[in-house]
Amino acid sequence: MAHNDLTLGELTPRDHAFYGLVWAGATLSARVDQALVRAHELPLSWFEVMLWLHGQSEPVAASDLGAKTLLSRSQVSRVVDSLQARGLVARVPSETDARSVRIALTDAGRRAFAEADATRRSTLADVFDDRLDDSDIEALETIWAKLKQPRDA
């Protein structure tokens, strides 16, 4: 059977830029997810939650994680359950609200995050870091900042 070279047809530069972002996000995420699972049995969704927890000096509410990650509230809950079962996070009582709990990385979670982050960096070295120079990274940072800005109503 003949192999056809598929194209997207004629796209505007904006359409091309959008689909390029989608392609880059999906491709790089899949590559990192595969590497993290293979090396650490740690899916990218778990890593993302650990990433946000790693950056905090205090335990955080699950709702705050849901607001920052690309996961739904129920996905965050399932990920936290899985991470807790592996001893990587702990649920701790809130100091201000006795009815709620907060989530923090354990010492084992911090070690696991550091190892997984090294895997992530290694995985992205040849397909991201080595291909983009400092001005490319600055341009991406500018783009992300613009796209993340809330729209005025």
Side-chain angles (χ1 to χ4, degrees):
M1 187 157 120
H3 174 71
N4 291 330
D5 188 22
L6 300 177
T7 69
L8 292 174
E10 292 192 32
L11 293 177
T12 68
R14 287 181 183 276
D15 290 338
H16 193 263
F18 169 76
Y19 287 114
L21 287 173
V22 170
W23 174 87
T27 302
L28 296 175
S29 294
R31 184 178 288 231
V32 170
D33 183 66
Q34 184 179 45
L36 291 174
V37 169
R38 185 175 38 243
H40 309 283
E41 297 180 4
L42 189 78
L44 183 57
S45 59
W46 295 18
F47 178 84
E48 183 185 9
V49 168
M50 293 173 74
L51 173 68
W52 282 102
L53 291 173
H54 180 263
Q56 310 313 306
S57 59
E58 299 290 328
V60 300
S63 60
D64 293 338
L65 287 173
K68 289 294 186 181
T69 66
L70 299 174
L71 306 172
S72 70
R73 186 176 186 167
S74 63
Q75 287 172 314
V76 168
S77 181
R78 286 192 298 274
V79 167
V80 169
D81 288 346
S82 298
L83 290 169
Q84 185 176 20
R86 287 191 41 188
L88 303 177
V89 301
R91 286 182 165 97
V92 295
S94 170
E95 293 181 6
T96 58
D97 182 357
R99 299 167 295 163
S100 66
V101 295
R102 296 186 167 274
I103 301 153
L105 282 177
T106 61
D107 289 341
R110 291 197 179 279
R111 286 189 301 274
F113 174 78
E115 292 169 6
D117 196 38
T119 298
R120 177 195 63 82
R121 290 173 192 272
S122 173
T123 300
L124 291 176
D126 67 330
V127 295
F128 187 80
D129 296 331
D130 294 349
R131 295 181 187 200
L132 302 177
D133 62 24
D134 289 344
S135 64
D136 294 329
I137 297 300
E138 284 181 36
L140 285 174
E141 288 289 337
T142 299
I143 291 165
W144 305 147
K146 287 180 180 181
L147 293 175
K148 288 180 181 180
Q149 286 179 348
R151 283 195 57 99
D152 296 332

